[in-house]
Structure formats: structure tokens, C-alpha cells
Amino acid sequence: RAARRRAACAAVYRACSRPETAKACGVAGTVVLQTMSAGYPPVISLEDLRARTPSALHSLKDALLCPTFGYFELDCSQSSFDVHRTYEAALEFFAQPTEVKCQYVHTQYVSESGGYVPILEEYAYVKGTAALVESFDVVRDLSLADLRRVRDTLGADAARGLGPMDWPVEVSDMKPAFRAFYSSCDDAAKVLMTSVALALGLDERTFSQYFGDTAHCSMRAMHYPTIAEHQEVQKSEVNESHKSQDGRRSRRLGHRISSTRDAVSIVGIAEHTDFEFITILHQTVQGLELKGRDGSWRLAAAHPDSPLFTVIFADALEIFTNGLVRATPHRVLASQNDKDRYSLVRFNGLNDLAIVEPLTQFVTVERPRKFVAATQGEHVGKQVTSASDNLAQMLEEKKYPKTTLTAPPKRFAQMLIVAGDRILLGKHTCGEFA
């Protein structure tokens, strides 16, 4: 059964990647950009940046200071990225029954260490919005021993957003595929942080010196279903569990989504800027929109057949440069025309305790200091709390398509010790024994 599921998921991904399917999804071929105005963002090779070729660094500088786009595309075709394998593992996980996926809801550990975010439970970055998306989030997958060392050396705050991960046992290739992709992202992040510094005329280690084992670097595999498909999945699961013989529950959900349109807007992801330093994103079909400095919204390209990523500037980069480089507002449109969208996102931040504040080179009489100092962890925590509060308020006011959020599973590990004529049964409610 598992083999058949993997084969089916692989077939779905290959279908999404075919030119004729891409055309049906609104993407003419595999490398096309739709924009709301003329022009294309620059495409820069990761390997050219690694080699520090003058032309690549010049293009990066233009992208950072561009008065129009606020993003660029990163060609990783000569790198170790395997987007096909990662998507196939993600699709296999998202194809699991809801009750299986919810066994991996954030999170059984004390620290925030990744897991499944069910549909309509994404934080609300804008009040009055509901995100029709589900995701599986990955953090730096440290062992318990390494996590303890971080806590003992740097304190509990520095261990936020670190592993160990609870990997789904139902998808055998998920752990190796996602860890390989995460490692490739680490490599790209180091090159990008060094290259950004050089492009801005700074010492090459200006930013990369803060990129280490405690860096805020979450990765997300995201699935944006259509409203129609979401309702159909709900109906199927209700029927299978015999909770309803006529599908009334799924129709009520559909009615609720429809009726809450007046109270909330159903979106893919609401408008926001990312909280870290720089983001790389891959998508199977279009849906990501980015807002340029000129105020125009542009659809980012989809490149399902190749490791060609959209690179988005985030808050820490804007703060370091005192606003010279702007964090790029972006959003995701709700999936249309019965076409699901999948994306792989990696947020590349700095160590939790890294101080993020304007560098002296960017503070002048003409450009006075615009931001106060904060650690990367404090900034991320503040922004996440704000988005979480928006969601909680809508739930409390009953202005949301769901009435409650999915509770993390109650997990425990058992250990049986036999010593002579004595037996000790131990239980660990955090999920595992050291």
C-alpha cells in the first residue's frame, strides 16, 4: 500500500511538472513569468555567487537596490537541490488521512520543533483573513544531546525553534529527503549571506558570522488546496469514519467557509514580510505575489521542473541596512481553477541571540536610524505572537471558519526495566527517553 501511495504521489508531481499541465494551470511551459507590468527580475546563479564573479555580484547589488521588484530568482541547477524528491515525499504526507497527519501537529517537545499545521490553522498575518493551506514545518534537526548543549551553553531562549524533529513514520523517504533539502538550503544561505555583504561593500562575514547551529531557519512544505477540494476531502473522511451518513458535516464546513466570507477573507497566505534575513521559495504553479517598491503586485514565476527559486528580502536585512534594502511584502492567492499549489520555503535567519540593528555604514544625516536593536529571536517572537493573536481573536469572536485549533497529540514513551525479580515501568510524557 505504501509503495502504491508513493507511486501515485510521484505521478501527481510529474503531472504538475508537464508543460501541458503547466499551461492548464496558467503557466505556459516550465519557465515563464507573469507580471502586472513589463520587465523581469534578474536571474542569478548560485555557483556564480559562490565563485564571486563580478557580474553575479553586480546583478545581486542591482536586485537589492532595485526600485521595482524587491526580489530575484536564484538558479541552483548546478547545486545539490533535489526538488522532485522533496515534493514527492511532501505529496505522500499530505495524501495521508487527516487523523494520521494530526499525529504530528506542533509539537510534543517543550521548544517549538516543527510538525504539521492543519488547514485553516495558519497564523493570521492580517486581521480578518483565513489561510486555506496546510504545511509540514521543519527546523534544525538537532539531537537531544546537542539541544541540551545549546541550552546549557546559551540558555533556553537560544534553543527555540530547534529539533529534534518528530518525523512521520508513514512516509519512509520524508526524513532523508527533507533533511537533504534542508542541508542544501544551509549551503545556499551561507553563500547568499556572504554575497549580500560583498554586494553592499561590506566585510564578507558581516552577516554570515551570525549563521550557525542556532540560526532561525525553518523550512516549510506547503499545500494550498482549492476550497472545492477541501470540502470534498472533508466529506470523504466523514463518510469513511461513519460520523455522518449523508455528508452533513462537510456541507456545514462548506457553508461556514462561504458564510464567513463577509467576516474574513479566504486567502492562501495573507500579506506579510518575512521575519528573518532572506527567504528562498520554490513553487509548482503560480500563486505567490510580491509587492515591489513601486507598489505593484507581481506574480512570481513557477519552475516545477528545475531548482530555480524566488529569493525574498526579509526584515533583518532591512534593519541591518537601515531601510536601504526593503523587506518585500508578499502574499499567496487562494488556489483557483481546481489547481492545487505546492511550495517549498526556507526562511534563513540568524542565531537567536544575534543583535539585529542598523549598521553604522547605513546611518547618515540623510538617513537617520530607523530601527531599535533587538535579537533575531525577539523579533521573530514578536511578529509570530502578533499573527497568533490575530487568529486567536477571530476564534474568540467566532468570526473564523473553525471553532477551535487542533490540539497536539498526547504522546508518551514507555520503558520496561527488568532487574532480577524486579520490574520497573517508566513513562515519559514528552515523547521519548534520552
Side-chain angles (χ1 to χ4, degrees), residues 108-315:
Q108 78 229 46
Y109 302 103
V110 175
S111 62
E112 187 72 15
S113 57
Y116 175 61
V117 179
I119 288 176
L120 293 171
E121 297 191 18
E122 176 74 15
Y123 292 146
Y125 302 105
V126 175
K127 292 181 180 179
T129 62
L132 191 59
V133 61
E134 61 179 338
S135 71
F136 189 87
D137 299 355
V138 178
V139 297
R140 194 168 299 282
D141 195 13
L142 300 184
S143 67
L144 281 172
D146 287 339
L147 191 61
R148 285 196 188 95
R149 278 194 289 272
V150 172
R151 286 175 178 156
D152 292 344
T153 304
L154 302 174
D157 285 350
R160 290 178 300 190
L162 301 178
M165 285 290 302
D166 185 16
W167 294 102
V169 297
E170 294 81 5
V171 183
S172 60
D173 196 43
M174 194 165 183
K175 178 178 179 178
F178 276 45
R179 290 187 71 171
F181 189 91
Y182 193 97
S183 178
S184 297
C185 290
D186 270 349
D187 173 67
K190 293 173 185 175
V191 173
L192 285 170
M193 289 185 182
T194 299
S195 300
V196 167
L198 293 172
L200 294 175
L202 305 171
D203 180 90
E204 65 179 74
R205 284 184 47 78
T206 299
F207 307 121
S208 62
Q209 64 179 316
Y210 303 117
F211 185 79
D213 290 342
T214 64
H216 275 266
C217 295
S218 61
M219 166 191 160
R220 309 190 74 184
M222 309 187 78
H223 169 219
Y224 297 82
T226 63
I227 292 178
E229 183 197 9
H230 176 53
Q231 294 172 0
E232 192 62 33
V233 169
Q234 290 287 320
K235 181 186 293 186
S236 174
E237 290 178 349
V238 168
N239 290 339
E240 287 180 5
S241 62
H242 303 289
K243 292 180 180 177
S244 170
Q245 295 182 354
D246 60 3
R248 282 194 298 268
R249 180 180 172 189
S250 65
R251 283 199 288 272
R252 284 199 302 270
L253 176 63
H255 172 72
R256 185 180 292 164
I257 289 179
S258 178
S259 65
T260 54
R261 286 183 182 275
D262 293 336
V264 301
S265 298
I266 303 299
V267 299
I269 293 284
E271 178 183 349
H272 66 286
T273 58
D274 291 334
F275 315 141
E276 297 81 7
F277 184 84
I278 204 164
T279 302
I280 60 176
L281 180 147
H282 192 277
Q283 58 183 354
T284 56
V285 298
Q286 287 180 308
L288 171 68
E289 283 194 319
L290 303 105
K291 189 176 184 179
R293 286 193 173 189
D294 61 355
S296 298
W297 285 99
R298 295 174 174 82
L299 276 170
H303 304 283
D305 276 338
S306 61
L308 193 56
F309 294 83
T310 301
V311 177
I312 305 170
F313 310 139
D315 291 350

